[in-house]
Amino acid sequence: MKTIKLLAFLFISSLAFTGCSDDDDDHGGDDHDHEEEVITTLTYTLTDGTDTITLTFEDLDPDDSVDGVATVSGNLKANTDYTGELTVLNKTDSDDPAHIQEEIEGEAEEHEFFYTTTVANVTISKTDEDGNGNPLGFTTNLVTGAAGTGTITVVLKHEPKKPNDGSVADAGGNTDIEATFTVEVE
């Protein structure tokens, strides 16, 4: 009888140790299972009703050590309202490069785009929301003031804190892509 009790105790003890394994081995120390989205191309299109300015970041081999290339198709006009629309692609997926955008939109509660600028008198507001009413950032309103130069940075966060104060620092989460564009307002 003592042998049966001892075996039962050892069996239950082994289950307890097996059930309490360290999850950090599978998650790299993160609190969640995150597989970074592969985004090779980010395009931020700004229109004011007559003109279109396109900011494009492309890194067709995001695993190498070479940085991607950021281009801007023209200068922004001073004192102008622009409607912005963001598109992300995975051009390494030749069958369906837009699948990554569909995936992010489908998991909107787990993603958010953040916009920062060093150009004085430029403000960028997100105009779309996820299913819980939190900002998402695929669409924006960009308003320019006086002429100036600087940068616009777009960051996609995976599993940010929502709601947040609108900053990358407060959002936390993991960065899926970050692109910085040099712009001029004239």
Side-chain angles (χ1 to χ4, degrees):
M1 187 70 166
K2 284 185 176 184
T3 306
I4 293 174
K5 286 182 182 179
L6 180 59
L7 288 174
F9 175 76
L10 290 173
F11 177 74
I12 292 170
S13 296
S14 70
L15 287 177
F17 284 116
T18 304
C20 296
S21 68
D22 185 3
D23 286 340
D24 287 345
D25 295 340
D26 296 331
H27 303 300
D30 290 340
D31 294 331
H32 62 280
D33 187 16
H34 173 267
E35 182 178 317
E36 183 176 308
E37 281 83 1
V38 176
I39 300 171
T40 61
T41 308
L42 180 145
T43 304
Y44 186 34
T45 305
L46 300 166
T47 57
D48 69 353
T50 57
D51 294 324
T52 299
I53 307 297
T54 306
L55 291 69
T56 304
F57 175 81
E58 192 158 67
D59 187 357
L60 296 178
D61 189 5
D63 293 331
D64 70 3
S65 61
V66 178
D67 292 335
V69 177
T71 58
V72 179
S73 68
N75 295 333
L76 299 170
K77 294 186 282 190
N79 304 308
T80 305
D81 286 1
Y82 289 91
T83 299
E85 186 170 333
L86 198 62
T87 305
V88 292
L89 300 172
N90 175 3
K91 289 187 177 178
T92 62
D93 182 356
S94 59
D95 292 333
D96 189 6
H99 174 74
I100 191 65
Q101 179 146 343
E102 295 164 5
E103 181 179 323
I104 294 168
E105 289 171 338
E107 299 172 352
E109 289 79 11
E110 298 175 12
H111 294 89
E112 186 173 353
F113 288 95
F114 294 86
Y115 297 82
T116 57
T117 183
T118 63
V119 184
N121 301 314
V122 169
T123 58
I124 305 170
S125 307
K126 301 170 207 173
T127 58
D128 59 339
E129 300 177 337
D130 65 18
N132 294 327
N134 293 307
L136 179 57
F138 271 113
T139 60
T140 64
N141 183 39
L142 184 145
V143 179
T144 62
T149 59
T151 61
I152 292 175
T153 300
V154 181
V155 177
L156 172 60
K157 286 290 191 172
H158 181 92
E159 293 196 352
K161 174 179 83 174
K162 288 189 175 189
N164 54 63
D165 69 4
S167 71
V168 171
D170 185 51
N174 294 303
T175 300
D176 283 334
I177 189 167
E178 180 171 352
T180 300
F181 305 94
T182 301
V183 296
E184 183 173 345
V185 178
E186 59 180 15

